[in-house]
Amino acid sequence: MNKRILVILGHPAQDSLCGALAQAYVKGAEAAGHEVRSLALGSLRFDPILHEGYNCIQPLEPDLLAAQEAITWAQHLVFVYPIWWGSIPALLKGFFDRVLLPGFAFRFRKDSLMADGLLVGRSAHLLVTLDTPPWYYRWVYRMPGHQQMRRTILGFCGIRPVTVTNFGPVKTASPRTRERWLARAFAYGASA
């Protein structure tokens, strides 16, 4: 069955390894007949800072309104980003702060701290690059960035299941290894 897939590049640079992985995924998904849209956060024009917190919601810039529309349209979300300082890049976090708003991505229950996710019916795949060896990130650091994405961001908004694929360590990866990673990203897109 063909899906509507949104690929979001969370690395600020499109010419990065993350950018190449995102492009490979898109090519694989399109080759399989899926309908694909892409967002490269580094090319969007928006203020990633919540200047008043959620006390006063800032008006959304046109690029963020288009991003919300694309998220609504999608059945499957793919996020491609690096792990920096154990977590997601600031640009990606700022995007979530601004786009996944109350009333769009979640709704608090009346007189409760519990919330209902409003983006149910969508799944996600995280393609993540690391300089830390993936086993070390998992067993020593306990995957703080993955937990944040799976549970406190996407899961909170009702997006399930969330699959994670690690590519690393990047710093010492040979060109041949990077080519294998790109082939894997293509295959993931083709089998979405």
Side-chain angles (χ1 to χ4, degrees):
M1 179 173 91
N2 292 346
K3 291 182 183 173
R4 295 186 308 273
I5 300 173
L6 176 62
V7 178
I8 299 175
L9 175 59
H11 192 296
Q14 291 186 49
D15 63 348
S16 60
L17 174 60
C18 286
L21 289 167
Q23 289 174 359
Y25 188 100
V26 167
K27 287 178 185 174
E30 288 176 341
H34 299 295
E35 192 175 347
V36 184
R37 294 185 187 176
S38 297
L39 288 176
L41 299 190
S43 67
L44 302 185
R45 296 177 55 100
F46 70 99
D47 183 352
I49 300 170
L50 272 177
H51 293 279
E52 301 292 326
Y54 290 113
N55 296 323
C56 176
I57 303 296
Q58 295 165 224
L60 293 179
E61 295 87 346
D63 283 348
L64 294 185
L65 290 170
Q68 281 188 333
E69 187 278 324
I71 291 168
T72 301
W73 166 86
Q75 297 169 305
H76 184 64
L77 303 166
V78 178
F79 295 91
V80 188
Y81 59 90
I83 291 292
W84 288 341
W85 293 107
S87 190
I88 64 177
L91 180 64
L92 182 56
K93 176 63 167 60
F95 174 78
F96 289 138
D97 287 347
R98 296 292 315 285
V99 168
L100 300 180
L101 297 173
F104 171 72
F106 65 94
R107 177 180 34 249
F108 283 112
R109 296 177 188 166
K110 187 175 176 147
D111 301 323
S112 172
L113 294 176
M114 299 300 291
D116 295 313
L118 300 178
L119 298 177
V120 295
R122 290 165 185 79
S123 56
H125 191 168
L126 314 179
L127 304 181
V128 185
T129 62
L130 311 97
D131 276 333
T132 304
W135 67 267
Y136 195 88
Y137 187 69
R138 176 183 177 122
W139 297 108
V140 177
Y141 290 148
R142 302 283 191 203
M143 306 180 299
H146 296 353
Q147 299 297 350
Q148 178 186 28
M149 285 292 287
R150 265 194 190 132
R151 295 180 180 180
T152 64
I153 296 176
L154 301 176
F156 185 80
C157 297
I159 299 170
R160 291 183 187 89
V162 177
T163 334
V164 181
T165 301
N166 294 309
F167 299 93
V170 172
K171 191 173 187 175
T172 58
S174 68
R176 184 175 177 189
T177 297
R178 290 174 184 237
E179 286 302 318
R180 282 198 310 263
W181 291 344
L182 294 174
R184 280 178 62 198
F186 181 93
Y188 287 132
S191 66

